[in-house]
Amino acid sequence: MNYHHHGKARLGKSLPLLFLVWLCALGASGQTRSEHEFYMDIPVYVDSIQQSLTYPLAWRNYPVRDLSVWRKAARSKIWELMGPLPPRSYGFDMQVEARERRQGYDAMRISVQLTRWYRVKGYLLVPHGKGRLPAVNLLHDHGAHLFIGKEKMIRPFATDTAVINDADRWAALLYEGQYMGDYLARHGFVVLSMDAPLWGDRGRQEGVDRKKYDIIAGNMMMLGRSLCAQMHWDDVLSTDFLASLPNVDSTRIAAVGCSMGAYRAWMLAALSDRVKSTAAVCWMTTTEAQLSTRYGRRENGGFANCIPGLRNYMDYPDIASLSAPRPMLLINGTRDKLFPVPGVEASFRLMHGVWTDAGVPEALETRLLDQPHECNKMDQQLVLNFLQRTIGGQP
């Protein structure tokens, strides 16, 4: 009898909790209402927002027709919008965790004190031979796949078998089975690839969960920080680290990447004069095309490519153009579902205008190829040829 009454008491106390769980389940069930303000994860008034974006710091709109003056003003605004950044370290303090001899080059698994707050792991490939060599900061992609980062670009070793197997699968999926970093190292380039925040060794202790990315970015915003800005800052610092190596010719450094890595590459070139050449595969468009119900598009990268307020001043091609007159190669695919062709073509036109005004129209190479969202062996060959023409390297 006592047990019966006790059970009823426990049930009574648990009813509010059960009711709350039920309400939460209803809220997550995709209920719809007749009125709404967002469609396809963008506001229904997106066209009005687009019309309000006048891009006053785009070269085509800037009142002073001097590229150096424009670049200084635009860069200053980008740094301002990036907000406070982790403080630089007093020294990079590179530590070699493992080393492997490969055909024509050495591979090292390293860690670097990138800022005073954290060390970052990476892979460094150094071709055999003497003298200072051209170098590539090879920036990994997004792919909504955060388990690996640097391992997408350089064949990993001295790590878990699960990581190696995953990297092999990713290389087959996006890079036609060829690790781009190893490919470039075989042709005489020092190659560095490091994890971006939340990828690889910089992920969550609880494990990979893409849905948590935006929550983490929001928490960083609560701390007054932009996770996207931190990624770009890390790329600038890792380029400084690369330039400090005794076997690197600091006047011949390139930024290269695919997908989010391509976005990171031209952002890096826009922010750092250390980058003398840039090759970006499968990431260029206009905001008008990228966030549009007309093309059925929305930006799925989340906070990975979102510096708060930046679109009020410059569009994507305007930012990439800050690297003019330095050489740049852009490759996009006609079958790339992430970037509508009209947006790619519009971007290319805008950028060619900047390089033409800079007096070196030939320094910007743009290609729209018959391919999906990938960096296949032909793309990698085009990147290699471009790097050999612009910063050197072996045939």
Side-chain angles (χ1 to χ4, degrees):
M1 196 69 173
N2 290 337
Y3 177 81
H4 177 70
H5 285 296
H6 181 64
K8 288 178 66 176
R10 290 181 60 188
L11 179 61
K13 291 180 180 179
S14 66
L15 279 176
L17 178 60
L18 291 173
F19 183 67
L20 180 61
V21 171
W22 176 71
L23 286 177
C24 290
L26 284 179
S29 65
Q31 291 177 295
T32 62
R33 295 180 59 154
S34 58
E35 300 293 332
H36 62 274
E37 193 167 334
F38 293 84
Y39 170 65
M40 288 178 49
D41 300 327
I42 53 179
V44 295
Y45 44 86
V46 62
D47 291 340
S48 297
I49 296 178
Q50 296 278 17
Q51 292 169 12
S52 74
L53 300 177
T54 59
Y55 304 124
L57 281 179
W59 167 248
R60 63 188 183 279
N61 298 324
Y62 196 66
V64 180
R65 306 312 289 167
D66 184 308
L67 278 170
S68 61
V69 173
W70 165 66
R71 186 183 303 108
K72 181 178 180 180
R75 271 187 180 171
S76 177
K77 178 56 67 173
I78 295 174
W79 286 116
E80 174 190 336
L81 295 173
M82 286 171 68
L85 297 163
R88 283 178 174 268
S89 62
Y90 296 110
F92 294 112
D93 185 30
M94 183 184 82
Q95 296 180 10
V96 179
E97 299 179 350
R99 187 187 299 265
E100 182 176 89
R101 189 172 182 85
R102 297 181 179 175
Q103 188 173 359
Y105 59 98
D106 288 336
M108 288 175 278
R109 180 179 170 88
I110 64 172
S111 69
V112 176
Q113 191 69 42
L114 211 55
T115 73
R116 296 211 299 271
W117 291 352
Y118 49 81
R119 295 185 69 85
V120 179
K121 293 183 184 293
Y123 283 108
L124 179 66
L125 306 181
V126 180
H128 299 156
K130 298 180 179 180
R132 294 181 179 269
L133 302 171
V136 173
N137 195 344
L138 191 54
L139 306 159
H140 68 73
D141 59 72
H142 187 306
H145 188 68
L146 286 70
F147 183 62
I148 53 175
K150 58 190 177 296
E151 299 89 357
K152 296 179 178 182
M153 311 309 297
I154 292 174
R155 180 164 56 86
F157 72 105
T159 186
D160 296 339
T161 301
V163 171
I164 296 172
N165 292 340
D166 194 47
D168 285 342
R169 286 191 295 267
W170 196 257
L173 177 68
L174 199 62
Y175 299 93
E176 204 176 342
Q178 178 171 267
Y179 284 96
M180 195 172 186
D182 294 80
Y183 174 67
L184 295 175
R186 288 196 297 271
H187 290 275
F189 293 92
V190 175
V191 181
L192 172 70
S193 190
M194 306 190 82
D195 289 325
L198 282 183
W199 272 265
D201 291 310
R202 303 181 73 180
R204 300 168 66 246
Q205 180 179 351
E206 303 91 335
V208 173
D209 185 345
R210 171 63 182 87
K211 295 179 181 179
K212 299 294 186 182
Y213 186 105
D214 296 345
I215 294 175
I216 293 171
N219 287 336
M220 293 291 283
M221 291 177 70
M222 291 283 284
L223 292 168
R225 309 280 162 170
S226 164
L227 195 61
C228 177
Q230 183 173 322
M231 177 178 70
H232 296 311
W233 176 233
D234 287 352
D235 291 342
V236 170
L237 295 180
S238 64
T239 305
D240 290 346
F241 160 70
L242 190 57
S244 74
L245 296 176
N247 45 15
V248 167
D249 183 344
S250 62
T251 67
R252 294 190 292 159
I253 295 178
V256 177
C258 170
S259 192
M260 183 184 78
Y263 164 77
R264 294 168 64 193
W266 51 255
M267 277 294 299
L268 173 56
L271 292 171
S272 175
D273 288 333
R274 287 198 184 278
V275 176
K276 305 302 182 184
S277 180
T278 307
V281 182
C282 287
W283 212 118
M284 180 48 66
T285 188
T286 61
T287 301
E288 183 180 11
Q290 194 65 359
L291 289 174
S292 169
T293 55
R294 181 166 62 257
Y295 298 114
R297 282 296 307 145
R298 72 265 182 97
E299 178 49 55
N300 294 317
F303 285 92
N305 48 4
C306 174
I307 295 176
L310 184 53
R311 207 57 64 239
N312 292 312
Y313 300 93
M314 287 173 281
D315 203 354
Y316 299 116
D318 305 320
I319 301 168
S321 296
L322 289 171
S323 65
R326 289 167 286 157
M328 179 175 287
L329 169 66
L330 294 171
I331 299 173
N332 271 72
T334 57
R335 292 183 285 119
D336 188 339
K337 296 180 180 180
L338 298 183
F339 299 102
V341 169
V344 177
E345 292 176 332
S347 295
F348 286 177
R349 286 193 298 271
L350 291 172
M351 295 178 69
H352 276 291
V354 180
W355 265 262
T356 297
D357 288 348
V360 286
E362 71 284 354
L364 176 65
E365 300 181 30
T366 57
R367 294 175 180 260
L368 191 54
L369 305 178
D370 180 20
Q371 66 178 57
H373 190 78
E374 65 182 14
C375 184
N376 55 50
K377 289 182 179 179
M378 182 183 70
D379 295 334
Q380 295 182 48
Q381 178 70 60
L382 291 172
V383 170
L384 173 64
N385 294 343
F386 173 77
L387 294 178
Q388 288 171 333
R389 291 195 302 272
T390 56
I391 62 170
Q394 299 173 359

